[in-house]
Amino acid sequence: MREELRDLLLILLLIYKIVHASPTGIKRIVKTPRPHFLDSGLLAATRGLSIERVTNGRDLLGALLESLVYSEVRKLMTASNLWLSLFHFRDHMNREVDIVLERNDGLIAGIEVKASATVRSGDFGGLKILAETCGSRFACGVVLHDGTDVVPFGERLAAVPMSALWD
């Protein structure tokens, strides 16, 4: 996205920059902010994405779902009694977690978004690195997917249907 357009969208509050740094100092992270559209429909329109293009290219759906989940998580945070900060995690080896939530007591949860009904162990790679990096502060990690079942994937890790955001 061109820098001038990105700056305009930021001013109009149509995109938001999610930061990579934590106030309590998660180490080994890349600190470049990551922009997210707050309206996944607007993102689709700016990219010229039709239903046919998204249906035929699941990789295109991934970015839309990630923005949708990001927007929904921000909404849920405002309705919560918890004090939460929202971040993005990426280490120097480019292993990442789409959304990281940090509670005011320092506990950390990670959310990875997958445009697939099938979740594999490899989909938890970024969450496992986040857990290792955070140590005892890591509360849990989930891979949100477009399937229907909750599936445990080890200690404090699970695949969870995206619909859980609205249930």
Side-chain angles (χ1 to χ4, degrees):
M1 180 182 326
R2 287 190 9 241
E3 193 171 328
E4 299 84 19
L5 176 58
R6 186 191 69 230
D7 291 344
L8 176 62
L9 293 172
L10 279 166
I11 290 167
L12 294 173
L13 301 176
L14 296 175
I15 63 172
Y16 181 83
K17 283 186 182 179
I18 184 170
V19 296
H20 289 277
S22 167
T24 54
I26 296 175
K27 306 267 190 244
R28 299 184 336 176
I29 58 171
V30 176
K31 294 185 179 180
T32 306
R34 182 178 194 179
H36 268 287
F37 272 78
L38 296 176
D39 181 334
S40 55
L42 182 60
L43 172 59
T46 60
R47 290 191 173 177
L49 298 180
S50 63
I51 291 174
E52 294 79 24
R53 281 190 67 200
V54 172
T55 302
N56 294 327
R58 295 288 284 185
D59 57 321
L60 298 172
L61 179 61
L64 293 175
L65 283 177
E66 193 175 317
S67 282
L68 173 69
V69 168
Y70 172 79
S71 176
E72 291 302 310
V73 167
R74 283 184 56 91
K75 290 174 195 172
L76 291 169
M77 285 172 58
T78 63
S80 172
N81 293 332
L82 299 172
W83 182 87
L84 298 167
S85 297
L86 193 141
F87 304 99
H88 171 76
F89 174 83
R90 182 172 61 229
D91 71 5
H92 295 292
M93 307 253 326
N94 285 328
R95 297 173 293 194
E96 62 183 341
V97 175
D98 297 325
I99 298 171
V100 177
L101 297 170
E102 182 177 20
R103 209 166 62 181
N104 62 336
D105 63 1
L107 282 180
I108 304 261
I111 302 171
E112 187 66 27
V113 181
K114 294 292 176 195
S116 173
T118 305
V119 179
R120 295 172 175 73
S121 181
D123 295 330
F124 289 84
L127 289 166
K128 289 177 181 176
I129 296 300
L130 179 65
E132 177 186 306
T133 302
C134 296
S136 63
R137 293 175 47 212
F138 184 78
C140 67
V142 298
V143 172
L144 292 179
H145 60 93
D146 62 2
T148 58
D149 297 324
V150 174
V151 181
F153 269 86
E155 187 180 345
R156 299 178 290 169
L157 298 173
V160 177
M162 208 164 303
S163 61
L165 288 170
W166 301 280
D167 290 341

